[in-house]
Each structure stands twice: as C-alpha cells, then as structure tokens.
Amino acid sequence: MSDELLRPEPRIGLGTMGIEDAERIASAIETGYRHLDTAQIYENERVVGRGVERAPVERADLSLATKVWAESLAHDDVLASTRESLDRLGVGYVDLLYVHRPVDTYDPEETLSAFDRLRDEGRVRAVGVSNFDAEQVAEAREILDAPLAANQVEMHPLYQQADLLADAQRHDYALVAYSPLAQGEVFDLPEIRDVAEKHDATPAQVSLAWLAEKDNIVPIPRSASDDHLRENLAALDLELDAEDVAKVESIDREKKLFE
C-alpha cells in the first residue's frame, strides 16, 4: 500500500465535503490529521488550501488529495481541471489524484493516460480511483503506467465491502473509506453500541477503530466540531479484540448510502 503517500500515522484522514471554514481545516491539522481529502465537486478546494496555509505544519508533512469530477475526465480536461485545482488549493502538487467516478466522460485509456502525464510532470504524486468495483480497478491497473495507490469507496459497518477489501489486500492498494460512520446510522446499531459500552468508547470510535485496524484501509470521517475531530482521532487508541470484530462483522443488514 502507498503508506508514505497516504500518511498512515495517524491512520485516519479527514473528509472535507461540506466544510466551508478554513479554520476547521487548520484546526484538524493542529489536532493531528495529516491526510486531507477534497474534490472538485465539493467546491471547497480554496477553503482547504487556506486551511493548509494557516496550519503550523509543513506542506511536505501533509498528504493532500482531490478528485477530478465526472464531466472533466476527457484527456485534456483532466489536465486543465487539475491545474485549476492546484491553483485553488494553492499548491504545486497533490499527493493523490482520483478519478471521482467512472461515469460520463470517463474513458479508461484517455482519462488514465492524462493521470499518468500529470504524475510524470510532478503535479501528482500518486494516482487513485473512486467508486470503482474490482473489475474497473483491474482495468485501471492494467492501463496505468503508475501504480494504482487507492480506491476511495463507501465503507462502514452497514456496507462492509469484504470482497473489495480482499482485492485491495491481494493487489496492495488502499481502500480509502468515505462515510465510515454511515452518516450517523452506526450510532444506533446494537452491535456497535455493545462494543462501545464494553470499552467506554463512542459508537463512532468503534466503527473507525474497526476500519483502521484492517490492512489497506484508511477511513476519512468528516467532522463538524473540534470535539469530534479529537474523538475520531482517538479511535486509534481503541484496541478491539477478536470478539469485538466478530460482533461488528456479524451485522447482517446492508445499506449502501450512495449510488
């Protein structure tokens, strides 16, 4: 896995969709987050960039990721829109650039050749995809000259993605788990609540710990407050035993939030 690029220490990143306050970004970095995830479609790359600039941490110590939206995946549009993203972020490169979704203007050969070019130019350190299934990942890996660093997907106790995780571990790329708390729905799951009570932890911490302890997974929760920023990061101090993991993985309901 591209650990160096995803900064596995700490092994939890920050999803920034909906964050419009640069101080929240700066505060997250001060709290200890080192992997920051944004996207063109979030329309907050300038906010993220300002937060990075204000934080007392060197750019080289951060991992910054963004995503090219579906309407900009033609070869030349990838190049142009990525340069615009870099301008909005106020940086010379991003550590990880994703294909946001394999739809609309996505053409594997044309799109991914542009990603390779950006990596060759030094504007992108690593290439990722998002919302890809295992077959689409395999196709991308075959086409790319660059190693495939990550596939960002919805992943949480109600959508566990066991087959995709096995593929990631077999082929050594990261699964970056968005919506790891299922937009708050994990808080009411009795299996999660039981484990949380056992460890005097929160349901959010149990869900994040369950993800973060697995090889090849980097969860990226969002947070609306400094308290939640700290709470989420503290999930890394929670050690789940085999019984806890089995209880989480015994959840027999499945709910995918995003299509």
Side-chain angles (χ1 to χ4, degrees):
M1 187 176 67
S2 299
D3 284 345
E4 181 183 351
L5 296 170
L6 290 174
R7 300 289 191 271
E9 300 298 340
R11 190 68 177 271
I12 292 176
L14 180 71
T16 69
M17 186 171 70
I19 296 179
E20 299 297 338
D21 180 2
E23 289 303 320
R24 175 74 56 232
I25 302 297
S27 180
I29 296 170
E30 290 183 42
T31 300
Y33 290 84
R34 294 295 179 266
H35 180 61
L36 309 174
D37 181 87
T38 184
Q40 294 170 357
I41 196 66
Y42 299 170
E43 297 185 345
N44 70 347
E45 289 173 318
R46 292 188 190 280
V47 171
V48 173
R50 287 197 294 268
V52 168
E53 185 178 10
R54 294 176 189 180
V57 174
E58 295 294 327
R59 167 69 183 94
D61 293 328
L62 298 174
S63 177
L64 188 57
T66 193
K67 309 177 198 73
V68 180
W69 183 236
E71 66 187 20
S72 298
L73 292 171
H75 182 279
D76 290 349
D77 292 339
V78 170
L79 303 179
S81 69
T82 300
R83 293 180 182 119
E84 291 167 359
S85 287
L86 295 177
D87 286 343
R88 287 189 292 267
L89 288 162
V91 296
Y93 67 94
V94 289
D95 297 272
L96 184 56
L97 183 70
Y98 294 99
V99 176
H100 201 142
R101 286 187 178 275
V103 297
D104 293 353
T105 59
Y106 177 67
D107 176 277
E109 294 283 353
E110 290 294 315
T111 301
L112 297 174
S113 66
F115 274 65
D116 273 327
R117 176 172 168 178
L118 288 165
R119 183 174 179 269
D120 290 342
E121 292 175 351
R123 300 176 189 273
V124 171
R125 292 188 64 203
V127 173
V129 296
S130 183
N131 301 296
F132 278 46
D133 63 28
E135 289 185 3
Q136 291 166 328
V137 169
E139 179 183 46
R141 289 174 47 246
E142 181 69 24
I143 293 169
L144 282 165
D145 292 331
L148 181 70
N151 182 16
Q152 185 175 137
V153 294
E154 178 183 346
M155 192 174 188
H156 47 73
L158 285 170
Y159 195 56
Q160 299 192 12
Q161 299 266 44
D163 290 344
L164 197 55
L165 175 57
D167 187 75
Q169 291 172 341
R170 183 163 55 250
H171 296 291
D172 198 28
Y173 61 89
L175 285 184
V176 177
Y178 71 78
S179 294
L181 307 180
Q183 295 189 315
E185 294 196 29
V186 300
F187 303 159
D188 298 321
L189 295 173
E191 298 89 345
I192 300 294
R193 295 180 68 87
D194 286 349
V195 176
E197 183 176 352
K198 171 183 171 180
H199 290 278
D200 192 25
T202 67
Q205 289 173 329
V206 170
S207 297
L208 292 172
W210 170 73
L211 287 166
E213 63 88 27
K214 296 178 182 294
D215 290 340
N216 296 69
I217 295 182
V218 179
I220 51 168
R222 289 184 291 164
S223 177
S225 71
D226 288 345
D227 286 344
H228 287 155
L229 284 172
R230 290 188 290 269
E231 176 188 318
N232 290 345
L233 206 57
L236 294 171
D237 297 326
L238 176 59
E239 295 185 9
L240 303 181
D241 60 31
E243 180 182 8
D244 301 328
V245 172
K247 179 164 283 192
V248 175
E249 294 179 357
S250 74
I251 296 171
D252 61 3
R253 286 151 288 168
E254 183 172 286
K255 184 172 183 180
K256 189 175 189 296
L257 302 175
F258 301 93
E259 296 299 334

